[in-house]
């Protein structure tokens, strides 16, 4: 078989096909000897979805060699046919005709060929004929193309501080950007200027036009990529815009600014504008040598004269196996340090350092790791945050149904803690109560509170061995609302009249507790001895820390005396965290470990169960040294944790840090005495004791008020909110905001292609590596945005068709010769 084709006019060609039969038979051409046609367009349904093609440059080059045009053209284009006869009927009839010709051509071979040979040879011939039929239909690619010099392209340059990082070919990212678009003679600018008018924009501030890219300082402290793209589109409104070109390392941190919409909302608004973004990633996806304090976790607020755990996550690349110190400072004074061994490249090491909270107010906590030789980024070796150390007395209501040692020793354990007030209601006999640590003669005078306002004045509640029948149904519901609505902490202790044995199953409180109370109550006349051990979560929890280090805490728990239980504790509910497990001392038992201390978040608050009845043995057991303070430490930490994060009636919500000149969005949540959100209050905020600034009610949320303040200067800013609601005047605890130049640019400093790809895909553009950026100038020509014209390109002469046709004919010839037919 032979094939020849010549073009006679722009849309007219003539092709000749000759078919050769086996040796010994007459050679004659097929009916399709010579065909000519004029254009008759048959348009296939286009696929307008374009998600970008991020193949390596070499793969793209191979694709263009085989298929004539770039992958972008195929993604944007529509397949058409320029045939003189209707195309769709011919497409339907062609497979049948090709199959018939292939079957007929080998029918005369008859028994000389096996079935497998006939199938192979027929398939090769059918493939060759199908390719020829496809070529005779004159396939074309119709694609929208930008009209030269009728469209505008906006070039948006990331001029943030992270662009100063030197990470590839000993060039800074900023230098790489300037090589591409820094002047009219830059490579990418020249390529774009051949077909487009170019406008330049920056990302610093709110974004905007710039005429001198070479004069950019690359000193912006934040990167707001999507707001900058939106600003560029706004400034180009009314002009035919083919697309935006974004050159960045992808280190967007606009979503970390309180008051700005999240990334998803920003992308949705950008996509709705319909202008494609062609993103160019500047920098390396991995830094060869870098050490980073990736995360710093501390409580937002803690009580004075305690200890808090500082959790630090350090990542590294290029320093595996090296030992480095992690140093914690409070206001420039070293308060803790620990040496860690760095893991393999790309892995993280976690360490926890306990530091004292001996001074009240805003504590400037910083964690740093010394800069190592050869580090590419030194700014990410330190993180800073603020911790509010509060010096106030937290009221906890402890209600006990019978005199017992657990109450006595718990109160003794915390009696010297000036920040804890354990108000006690002890039923000493029927309808007789002993009140301890009350503020006045009126408090709890009528027994357990019957009004929400009275109960909700406490920050936490401890339920001792007291049966559910002691409470009315309304009081049980109030206890449930104390956790879910008020946001308080609830701790249920083990005892003869506690949990399921106290009849709490089926009550409103059963839904609040973290363990299942279903099942028959057990006999409380006998007790099980249990050995307690912390779970993996327990070893990390601040309430379970009995020593200064994790290893010291684990060792101390191994030597703690055994306790006893009289309650049958059910399975933990979904979402429950078990901190302490109990194993029965009887080694013959096959029962699983029991959840002795567990907690869960419930609504706005938290609930916990400590199912033993005699933790006082940790103080009084004969094997416990008299100087051992584990019992006191345990209960101080448990009760301090129980009242942590419990909301006040007036709560101030503000970011931990802000940049100089940036507005701080201040929100205040106001509740009445029953902790129901209150609208119609008068709310004001002061900054560092200055003039009051009114807050406006947020119509979308009950009881929330908002405003924006811009502090003068840098440093720690103190925010206090005052509100008048009815007859009550409330003043909030201070909220602190550190105003300083943000350093977020240097954390996760490697180039982040994920966001850039997402922006490109969501808008219909494409992502490019910096080394492949010159392809952008070719691809943006086929943007569907702006002023365009439809161009049609021939597909019949693709090298891929010729190579496949040649392979099919060669395979047929080789197999025929092998079978003696040629």
């Amino acid at each position: 078989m032979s094939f020849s084709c010549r073009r006679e006019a722009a849309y007219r060609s003539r092709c000749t096909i000759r078919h050769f039969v086996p040796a010994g038979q007459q050679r004659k051409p097929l009916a399709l000897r010579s065909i000519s046609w004029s254009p008759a367009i048959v348009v296939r349904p286009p696929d307008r979805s374009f998600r970008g093609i991020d193949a390596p440059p070499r793969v793209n080059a191979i694709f263009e060699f085989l298929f004539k045009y770039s992958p972008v053209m195929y993604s944007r284009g529509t397949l058409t046919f320029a045939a003189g006869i209707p195309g769709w009927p011919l497409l339907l009839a062609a497979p049948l005709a090709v199959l018939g010709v292939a079957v007929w051509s080998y029918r005369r071979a008859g028994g000389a060929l096996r079935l497998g040979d006939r199938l192979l040879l027929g398939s090769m011939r059918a493939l060759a004929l199908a390719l020829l039929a496809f070529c005779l239909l004159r396939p074309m690619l119709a694609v929208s193309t930008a009209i030269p010099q009728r469209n505008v392209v906006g070039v948006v340059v990331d001029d943030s501080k992270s662009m100063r990082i030197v990470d590839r070919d000993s060039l800074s990212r900023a230098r790489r950007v300037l090589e591409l678009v820094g002047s009219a003679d830059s490579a990418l600018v020249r390529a774009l200027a051949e077909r487009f008018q170019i406008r330049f924009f920056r990302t610093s501030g709110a974004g905007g036009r710039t005429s001198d890219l070479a004069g950019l300082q690359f000193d912006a402290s934040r990167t707001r990529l999507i707001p900058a793209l939106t600003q560029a589109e706004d400034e180009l409104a009314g002009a035919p815009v083919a697309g935006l070109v974004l050159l960045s390392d992808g280190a967007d941190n606009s979503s970390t600014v309180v008051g700005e919409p999240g990334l998803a909302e920003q992308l949705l608004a950008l996509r709705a504008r319909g202008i494609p973004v062609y993103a160019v990633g500047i920098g390396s996806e991995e830094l060869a040598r870098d050490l980073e304090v990736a995360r710093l976790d501390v409580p937002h607020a803690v009580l004075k004269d305690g200890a808090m755990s500082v959790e630090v996550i350090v990542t590294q690349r290029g320093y595996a196996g090296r030992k480095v110190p992690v140093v914690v400072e409070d206001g420039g004074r070293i308060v803790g340090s620990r040496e860690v061994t760095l893991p393999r490249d790309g892995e993280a090491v976690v360490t926890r350092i306990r530091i004292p909270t001996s001074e009240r107010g805003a504590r400037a906590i910083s964690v740093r790791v010394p800069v190592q030789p050869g580090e590419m980024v030194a700014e990410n070796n330190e993180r800073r945050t603020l911790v509010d150390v509060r010096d106030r007395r937290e009221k906890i209501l402890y209600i006990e149904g019978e005199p017992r040692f657990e109450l006595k020793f718990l109160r003794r354990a915390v009696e010297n803690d000036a920040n804890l007030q354990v108000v006690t209601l002890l039923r000493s006999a029927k309808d007789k109560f002993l009140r301890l640590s009350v503020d006045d003669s009126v408090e709890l005078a009528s027994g357990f509170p019957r009004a929400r306002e009275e109960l909700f004045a406490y920050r936490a509640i401890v339920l001792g061995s007291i049966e559910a029948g002691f409470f009315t149904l309304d009081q049980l519901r109030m206890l449930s609302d104390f956790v879910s609505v008020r946001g308080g902490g609830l701790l249920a202790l083990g005892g003869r009249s506690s949990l399921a044995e106290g009849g709490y199953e089926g009550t409103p409180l059963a839904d609040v507790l973290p363990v299942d109370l279903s099942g028959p109550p057990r006999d409380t006349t006998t007790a099980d001895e249990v050995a307690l051990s912390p779970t993996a979560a327990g070893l990390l929890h601040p309430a379970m820390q009995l020593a200064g280090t994790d290893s010291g805490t684990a060792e101390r728990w191994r030597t703690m005396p055994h306790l006893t239980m009289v309650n049958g504790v059910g399975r933990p509910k979904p979402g429950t965290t078990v901190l302490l497990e109990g194993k029965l001392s009887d080694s013959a038992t096959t029962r699983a470990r029991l959840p002795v201390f567990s907690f869960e978040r419930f609504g706005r608050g938290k609930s916990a169960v400590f199912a033993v009845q005699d933790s006082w043995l940790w103080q009084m057991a004969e094997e416990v040294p008299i100087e051992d303070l584990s019992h006191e430490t345990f209960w101080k930490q448990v009760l301090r944790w129980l009242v942590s994060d419990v909301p006040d009636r007036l709560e101030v919500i503000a970011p931990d840090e802000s940049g100089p000149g940036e507005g701080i969005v201040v929100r205040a949540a106001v509740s009445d005495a029953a902790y129901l959100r209150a609208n119609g209050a008068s709310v004001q905020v002061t900054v560092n004791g200055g003039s009051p600034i009114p807050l406006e009610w947020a119509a979308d949320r009950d009881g929330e008020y908002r405003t924006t303040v811009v502090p003068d200067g840098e440093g720690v800013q103190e925010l206090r909110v005052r509100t008048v609601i009815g007859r009550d005047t409330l003043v909030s605890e201070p909220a602190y905001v550190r105003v300083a130049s943000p350093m977020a640019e240097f954390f996760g400093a490697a180039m982040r292609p994920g966001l850039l790809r997402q922006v490109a895909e969501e808008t219909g553009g494409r992502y490019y590596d910096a080394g492949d950026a010159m392809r952008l100038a070719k691809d943006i020509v086929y943007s569907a945005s702006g002023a365009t014209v439809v161009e049609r390109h021939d597909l019949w002469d693709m090298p891929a068709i010729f190579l496949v046709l040649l392979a099919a004919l060669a395979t047929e010839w080789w197999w025929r010769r092998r079978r003696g037919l040629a």
Side-chain angles (χ1 to χ4, degrees), residues 31-52:
L32 295 174
R33 294 189 302 273
S34 181
I35 296 178
S36 63
W37 62 88
S38 299
I41 303 300
V42 181
V43 181
R44 298 180 64 184
D47 179 12
R48 292 298 184 190
S49 64
F50 176 64
R51 293 298 181 186

Side-chain angles (χ1 to χ4, degrees), residues 676-692:
L676 300 177
R677 290 299 178 90
N679 299 326
S682 172
V683 186
Q684 296 177 329
V685 62
T686 60
V687 181
N688 296 329
S691 301

Side-chain angles (χ1 to χ4, degrees), residues 148-166:
Q149 300 305 322
R150 291 282 300 276
N151 293 276
V152 176
V153 169
V155 178
V156 183
V157 174
D158 181 355
D159 61 337
S160 62
K161 290 180 180 179
S162 62
M163 299 297 287
R164 296 178 176 180
I165 296 174
V166 178

Side-chain angles (χ1 to χ4, degrees), residues 4 18 425 516 708 716 731 785:
S4 63
R18 291 187 175 275
L425 184 65
D516 185 11
T708 301
V716 177
V731 179
S785 178

